[in-house]
Each structure stands twice: as structure tokens, then as C-alpha cells.
Amino acid sequence: MANKAVSESSVEHSFHSHRSKRGKWNSNIQFILTCVGYSVGLGNVWRFPLKAYENGGGAFLIPYLCCSLVIGFPVLFLEMTLGQFSNSGPGVIFRKLCPIMQGIGWGQATMSFIVSIYYNVIVAWTLMYMAYIVTGNYNMFARCDNDINTPFCYSNLRKELAFNGTESKTHYFYNGTIHDSGTEDPTLARERFRIQFGNSTTSTAAEEFFNYEILQQTESIDDFGEFNWKLFIALAVAWLIVGLCLIKGVKWIGRVALVTATVPYVIICILFVRSVSLPGAIKGIDYYLLNPDFTRITAFETWKQAATHVCFSLGIGFGGLLSLSSFNERTNNCYRDAAIVTFADAFMSVFGGTAVFSVLGFMATQNDIEIGDVVKGGIGLAFIAYPEAMSRMGLGFPVLAFLFFAMLFTLGISSQFGYAEVSCTAICDQFPQMRKHRAIIVSCVCFAAMSIGLIMCWGSGIYYFYLFNEYTSSFSLMLLIAAELIVVNLVYGYRNYKKDLQSMFGIRERGYTTWSKIKWAISNTFGRKGFYIAYMMIAICPAVYTAMGLKAIWDIIMETDAYNNYTFPDWTKPISVLIAGAGVYVLICMAIVNTIIYRRNGRSWKKLVCVQKDWPKRKPFVIKAQKPPALEKESILEKEETSDVAVVDDNKKAE
């Protein structure tokens, strides 16, 4: 028994020393804010409103919220508990659970690395916009008299300036000249425009600024164009910020999260107040919330889009939550943390969507067009439609524009911390001797990602960006999440996983009062170890994610890639398949490698599919229920009576 006690104490000491070497959060608040910053990203501002617009407006909220509760929150909680209990990153967790499936973690790290490549390019775009605004060149994306503009550019701001700020529906600014259409009927005006200028393709000032100044875009992916040095400098600055924060570790990331996770909510509230006060804002809100198309709820595509957005928005399946939670204390209430992150993500999507649709309603009213004609796609919504709208909001335009892009920057950089940290944590956990050289590892990871991202600094970079953005969250993400759930529920066993939860959170007694019994019943149903979590993780989630993964494979085979009416050539299809399947390819390769290693070392096949000895030990504990005062007195009297009887019996024995 003494040897066993010494062994357990040494294991516990080893665990705590391992935890201290890896680092830990300064406070639970910093962990929550970092997770919120990681999950709440750019997709909440442009991707969710676009998906809502395409799938029934406000009706899309029903499948979105259902998917958040059914397949989002349970997996989010699962990843937090796995990282927190094992105190390991994704690269090591699944090797301890099932060596042949270790590739799940490295597949997640691979996908996070791929996301970080193009995600920081978006951060670089926001830095460029903020630089133009700070230097006083904010009018460049509102006017058509710049060197970059084509004869097909039209500017409503330039027209208003020509008429001393008054709106004229009979005139329009095109090809550097004010033209009179002779009618206030927008349909007739557009018809006369086509007669006068033929079928010329027009574009707004904000659109041309983004395409020809920020991107320096070419007409096809085959034409590389010129290297964009401004974008390169912005990208280097973005990676420098990420690298310096990651080198300092989770304590520094937690401090930065106090700003990056809270500022976006403050800014979106400011933009919301300004947006809903715009003329025509009610038109957008009416489409978004007040006039939903409930017929879309029965469509399979609507639920697929909702489920896909939930996965990408919450950041599940990318290993970021596993990495961040691995720096927690084992007893941390991550169930509460998962609920907070899920709520914050949903709130930003719905609330931000209201602000976005208010702006779209304003633009549609100003231009006498439908809301659908304003939206140019996800990227266009953030970098074209919004700047165009803000340029027509009056004297506060530069301030509002800077706040908007500052919000995009903080949203992007906070998510980028999580994506880049996954690769660094996976390497440090796989090779513990490299942990003392963390600065070198972080520098190499950031430099490698930036080097690959340089392809997006050329004129054809936007086409490669589209491929990365479109296929990173494809079938690999869905199948890896399904594999993650299968390993925990079948290989490790849900009962063992539940015991791990009990060792972290304790076993709560039923209690004595009516209220305590009700709380116990609710906890057993919807709590951390309740039936709701169990049924979702055992049955619903694996089936849904497997089906979504298979559907994504079918879509890749059957669909043709297109970006803004440009159809990609056939030679880009292998690139799409490579990006979409990167995580699964890593899983397969690591399964083969681990099988060869185990067999060469003379270990049995069974060892490849069972839990390893270095999986942390568990120590369950019971949370005692407090007795009411009356019952407490009765128990005290019972103890006294029992002790008296025992004394009498002892005296009799002595006699």
C-alpha cells in the first residue's frame, strides 16, 4: 500500500510539473475571452448574414440555433473537456486514446495551419484599409477619379458632390462625367444607360478600389500579374503581431484577449445604432427578421448550410479549443465556458446580421435596387458594400469606416491566435524537449504560413484565396469530427469518458430538499454528465457529421468552382481536392506510420486500438449535499446515541 501511495503521488507530481512547464492561464476570464475571440470571427460579420440572405432570411435562424444546440455545443464541450483533462494538445491526445487514430489531432492541426495561411491575408486587408483611412486617403474607395479607376466606374458620392450634397435621381456619374438620364424612374434610367453605353459592365468606386488597389486583381488565375508589395508589407506586419504574441505564451494571449475579444462587441453596438437609423434600414431588417421565408426550412441545403456555418463559426474540429483548454486547471467549469462561447457566437451572428442588413437596406433604397443586387458575396459584403455605404453616411464617414475595419482586424487577429497556436502546441507536445525553444517553433510556423501565403500577394492571389476559403472546412473537417466522436464513444467508451468528467467535476448527491432534488434532476438531464450531452455525442453528432462529410465529397466531385462569374480551369480541381482532404490524408498516413512502428517494436495489434498507460489517472470525488437544519440536528443526535451505546458495550466487555 505504501508503494502504491508513493507511486500515485509521483504520478500526481509529474502531472503538475508537466502542467507548469506547458504554462497555464492567469485567470478563467482570460481563457473564456480567448475562446470567444477564437470562435467569434470574421464569419459572424459577413458569412452568417450572407447565408441568412440565401436561405430564407430570419427563417435561417431556426436551423442555425438548432444546429448550435444539437451538433455545435456538445462537440465544443467535448473538445474542452478532452484538452482540460489530458493537459495535452490535439497531436498527443488521440495518441493516448487510440494510437492508430493519432492522425485526428494532427489532421486538425494541419487544417488550422491551412486556415491561418489565408485568414491572416484578410487581417492584412483590414490593415491596409486602416492605413488608407489614417493617412487621409479614405475618399479613394468612394470616388472614381483615382489612377486605378476604369471608365466603367460610377460613384454616387461623386455625383452628390457635383450637386452640392443633394441627391439627384435623374443624373449619374459615369466615365468621369455627370450624365442626365432625363427620368427619375430607375428602371427607365438603367434602360437609357444601356442604350447610351451599350452593355458596358459597371462597377462601384469601392469595388474598383478593392479589386485594383488592395488586390491588384488579374482577370484569371493563369495570369499571375504583378507582386503586390503593399499587401506583402501588411501581411508581414500581421504575422509579426501573431508571432510576438504566441512567443509570449498563453498568459500574454490571455491579456491581449481582454481587448481583442471585447472591442468588437463595443464597435458592433456603435455600428448597429448608426445602421438602424439610416434611411431604408427597415427594408433590410424587414427582409432579415420580419419577413422570413419559412418554406426554406424544409430544404436540406438550408440545414446543411446552417450546420457548416456552426462548425466553422465555433471553430470545432480545428484543434484550437483542444489546445486552449489544455492550459486549464483540471477542475475548471468548462461546461459553463462552452455555454458562454456558444451564446457569444450566436449573439454576434444575429446582432451583427441586423446591422449588416440595415446597411444593405440603406444601399438598396439609395440605389433603387433590390437587396440581392447589393450583395456581391461574402468578401464583397465586408470590403465593398460596407465601405460604399459608409461613404454616404455624412461627416462621420472616416470614423465609422475606421471603427468597422478595426472591428474586422480584432475579430480576425483573435481567431488567428487560436489557429496558429494549434500547430505550435502540437509540435511542443509531440516533442517535449522542444518546449524550451518555443520562440523558434513559433517563428518557423509563422514564417512557413506566411511564405505559402505569398501566393495571395500576386494579382491572381484572390483566386487562390477563394480555393483556400471554400475548401478548408470541407469533408476533412466533418469526417475528423465524426472520427473524434467515434474514438471517444466507442474505442475509449462513453462510460470511461463520463468517469473522467466525474473526476473533474465530482458526483453530486441528490439532496434532501425539493429544490435540491429538482436541481439534481435538471443536472442529470442537461448538465455536464446528463442525458442530453450523452445522446447527442453518442448518436446524433457522429451520424450528422458523417453524412455532411459524404455530402461534401459529392459536391466537390460534381460542382465547378466559380468566383464572381469567373469559372476556374480544370487544373485547379486537384488543388481543391488537396486542400479539402488534407486532414483525412494526414489521418491515413499517421495510421500507417504508427502501425509500422508498433509492429517493428513487437507490440500487438490490440495496443493500436486501446487507451495507453500515459492517459491521465482519474480521482472521482463526491459533492456532498447540505442537509436542512432539522435533518442536521437529527443526524447529530443519532451520532451521539450511537456513540453512547458503543461506550456502554465497551464497559460491559471490560467487566
Side-chain angles (χ1 to χ4, degrees):
M1 291 293 291
N3 291 336
K4 184 177 180 181
V6 171
S7 176
E8 288 181 354
S9 63
S10 63
V11 169
E12 191 70 20
H13 173 73
S14 174
F15 175 79
H16 287 294
S17 63
H18 170 64
R19 181 180 292 275
S20 61
K21 288 180 181 178
R22 294 183 79 253
K24 61 181 181 179
W25 298 102
N26 287 324
S27 66
N28 182 246
I29 294 295
Q30 292 187 1
F31 166 69
I32 294 175
L33 290 178
T34 304
C35 288
V36 168
Y38 170 69
S39 297
V40 180
L42 296 166
N44 297 79
V45 177
W46 78 46
R47 198 171 189 270
F48 178 82
L50 187 67
K51 295 301 179 184
Y53 167 77
E54 294 173 346
N55 295 278
F60 184 71
L61 296 178
I62 296 176
Y64 169 71
L65 295 176
C66 288
C67 289
S68 293
L69 295 175
V70 173
I71 66 171
F73 173 73
V75 177
L76 177 63
F77 173 65
L78 170 69
E79 294 193 347
M80 281 190 174
T81 53
L82 287 178
Q84 182 170 302
F85 180 78
S86 66
N87 188 223
S88 304
V92 174
I93 287 178
F94 296 99
R95 193 267 304 163
K96 295 178 180 180
L97 280 174
C98 180
I100 200 172
M101 300 297 284
Q102 183 182 4
I104 294 175
W106 279 102
Q108 293 177 346
T110 301
M111 289 193 301
S112 289
F113 179 78
I114 294 174
V115 171
S116 68
I117 293 172
Y118 78 88
Y119 211 83
N120 231 19
V121 174
I122 306 176
V123 176
W125 294 343
T126 64
L127 286 174
M128 291 182 69
Y129 271 92
M130 286 193 292
Y132 277 103
I133 295 170
V134 170
T135 56
N137 294 316
Y138 48 83
N139 275 336
M140 285 189 67
F141 50 84
R143 302 180 63 165
C144 287
D145 48 5
N146 307 298
D147 294 337
I148 61 167
N149 293 124
T150 67
F152 308 110
C153 174
Y154 70 89
S155 169
N156 290 296
L157 178 64
R158 181 67 181 81
K159 180 183 67 175
E160 292 174 6
L161 291 175
F163 288 92
N164 297 321
T166 60
E167 179 69 20
S168 174
K169 294 185 177 181
T170 63
H171 296 79
Y172 50 87
F173 181 88
Y174 178 73
N175 197 15
T177 308
I178 298 291
H179 299 273
D180 186 359
S181 64
T183 177
E184 293 188 2
D185 183 357
T187 304
L188 184 58
R190 284 194 291 270
E191 182 64 28
R192 291 182 179 179
F193 175 88
R194 282 193 291 269
I195 294 174
Q196 185 174 359
F197 295 101
N199 292 322
S200 301
T201 302
T202 61
S203 54
T204 64
E207 186 177 357
E208 292 202 348
F209 177 81
F210 180 66
N211 290 335
Y212 304 132
E213 179 67 16
I214 300 296
L215 302 180
Q216 298 183 11
Q217 179 181 342
T218 57
E219 293 184 358
S220 70
I221 194 173
D222 297 306
D223 181 9
F224 249 61
E226 297 182 357
F227 190 76
N228 190 340
W229 288 100
K230 292 180 181 178
L231 180 55
F232 167 73
I233 294 172
L235 183 62
V237 170
W239 274 114
L240 181 63
I241 296 172
V242 173
L244 290 176
C245 291
L246 293 183
I247 287 173
K248 293 293 184 178
V250 293
K251 292 186 177 182
W252 184 259
I253 296 175
R255 295 190 186 101
V256 174
L258 295 174
V259 177
T260 57
T262 55
V263 167
Y265 287 91
V266 176
I267 296 177
I268 196 65
C269 288
I270 297 173
L271 294 176
F272 173 81
V273 172
R274 182 68 183 99
S275 299
V276 296
S277 63
L278 293 171
I282 189 62
K283 182 177 181 179
I285 297 175
D286 178 69
Y287 182 89
Y288 178 52
L289 294 174
L290 306 179
N291 189 27
D293 181 9
F294 287 107
T295 59
R296 297 300 301 272
I297 295 181
T298 58
F300 173 80
E301 185 65 22
T302 302
W303 288 88
K304 176 200 166 188
Q305 293 291 347
T308 304
H309 178 76
V310 165
C311 296
F312 192 81
S313 181
L314 288 176
I316 55 179
F318 288 100
L321 296 165
L322 285 166
S323 298
L324 296 175
S325 60
S326 67
F327 301 104
N328 271 335
E329 295 291 346
R330 184 176 282 186
T331 56
N332 175 61
N333 186 359
C334 55
Y335 188 84
R336 173 204 59 205
D337 300 344
I340 292 174
V341 172
T342 305
F343 174 79
D345 180 74
F347 175 80
M348 176 60 87
S349 294
V350 178
F351 189 70
T354 307
V356 168
F357 270 88
S358 298
V359 171
L360 295 181
F362 165 71
M363 289 294 296
T365 301
Q366 292 289 306
N367 297 327
D368 291 314
I369 57 177
E370 297 297 325
I371 292 180
D373 296 327
V374 178
V375 178
K376 299 288 185 179
I379 300 174
L381 181 61
F383 292 97
I384 296 176
Y386 239 106
E388 172 71 16
M390 287 183 292
S391 68
R392 307 178 66 182
M393 290 183 185
L395 297 176
F397 155 53
V399 176
L400 290 173
F402 183 83
L403 287 175
F404 175 74
F405 288 110
M407 180 186 69
L408 293 185
F409 171 77
T410 52
L411 285 172
I413 203 71
S414 58
S415 297
Q416 182 67 11
F417 289 150
Y419 288 123
E421 175 63 27
V422 175
S423 301
C424 301
T425 301
I427 295 172
C428 290
D429 286 346
Q430 185 70 37
F431 309 101
Q433 66 275 15
M434 296 294 293
R435 194 168 288 137
K436 58 184 177 181
H437 304 296
R438 178 178 172 84
I440 297 176
I441 293 174
V442 171
S443 300
C444 291
V445 169
C446 293
F447 181 77
M450 190 187 76
S451 299
I452 300 174
L454 291 180
I455 195 173
M456 301 176 197
C457 292
W458 294 85
S460 59
I462 186 61
Y463 303 107
Y464 291 97
F465 175 89
Y466 169 83
L467 295 177
F468 274 76
N469 182 49
E470 187 72 14
Y471 291 106
T472 304
S473 58
S474 186
F475 68 86
S476 275
L477 176 64
M478 306 304 169
L479 295 181
L480 286 183
I481 296 176
E484 179 181 17
L485 290 161
I486 291 171
V487 167
V488 173
N489 293 318
L490 297 182
V491 179
Y492 184 51
Y494 184 80
R495 291 183 178 179
N496 290 322
Y497 170 69
K498 187 175 181 179
K499 291 178 181 178
D500 292 344
L501 297 183
Q502 292 172 348
S503 72
M504 289 193 291
F505 309 127
I507 304 172
R508 186 176 297 277
E509 289 186 341
R510 186 170 184 176
Y512 300 90
T513 64
T514 303
W515 174 240
S516 63
K517 292 177 181 178
I518 293 174
K519 287 172 60 179
W520 178 84
I522 294 174
S523 176
N524 269 14
T525 305
F526 299 105
R528 294 170 287 201
K529 305 177 290 291
F531 300 114
Y532 160 65
I533 292 291
Y535 289 141
M536 291 301 104
M537 289 201 301
I538 293 174
I540 304 300
C541 291
V544 171
Y545 283 112
T546 302
M548 290 171 59
L550 297 177
K551 179 64 168 60
I553 294 176
W554 175 260
D555 290 341
I556 291 177
I557 296 173
M558 300 303 296
E559 293 181 359
T560 302
D561 297 322
Y563 170 74
N564 281 359
N565 299 322
Y566 170 75
T567 302
F568 283 75
D570 293 337
W571 64 265
T572 62
K573 181 61 72 173
I575 300 177
S576 304
V577 176
L578 178 64
I579 295 173
V584 172
Y585 305 150
V586 171
L587 170 61
I588 296 172
C589 291
M590 291 209 68
I592 296 173
V593 169
N594 279 357
T595 301
I596 294 173
I597 292 175
Y598 269 61
R599 296 303 296 163
R600 282 183 177 178
N601 292 335
R603 305 182 71 177
S604 66
W605 293 97
K606 191 176 180 180
K607 294 291 184 181
L608 280 167
V609 291
C610 66
V611 182
Q612 303 301 291
K613 293 181 179 179
D614 55 352
W615 184 252
K617 306 296 181 183
R618 62 174 81 100
K619 289 184 177 181
F621 62 94
V622 178
I623 302 175
K624 296 289 184 180
Q626 293 184 351
K627 294 182 179 180
L631 294 177
E632 191 68 34
K633 290 180 181 179
E634 292 178 6
S635 62
I636 293 173
L637 291 173
E638 289 176 1
K639 287 181 180 178
E640 290 177 353
E641 291 174 1
T642 305
S643 61
D644 290 341
V645 172
V647 170
V648 172
D649 290 341
D650 288 340
N651 291 334
K652 287 182 178 180
K653 288 180 181 179
E655 291 176 358

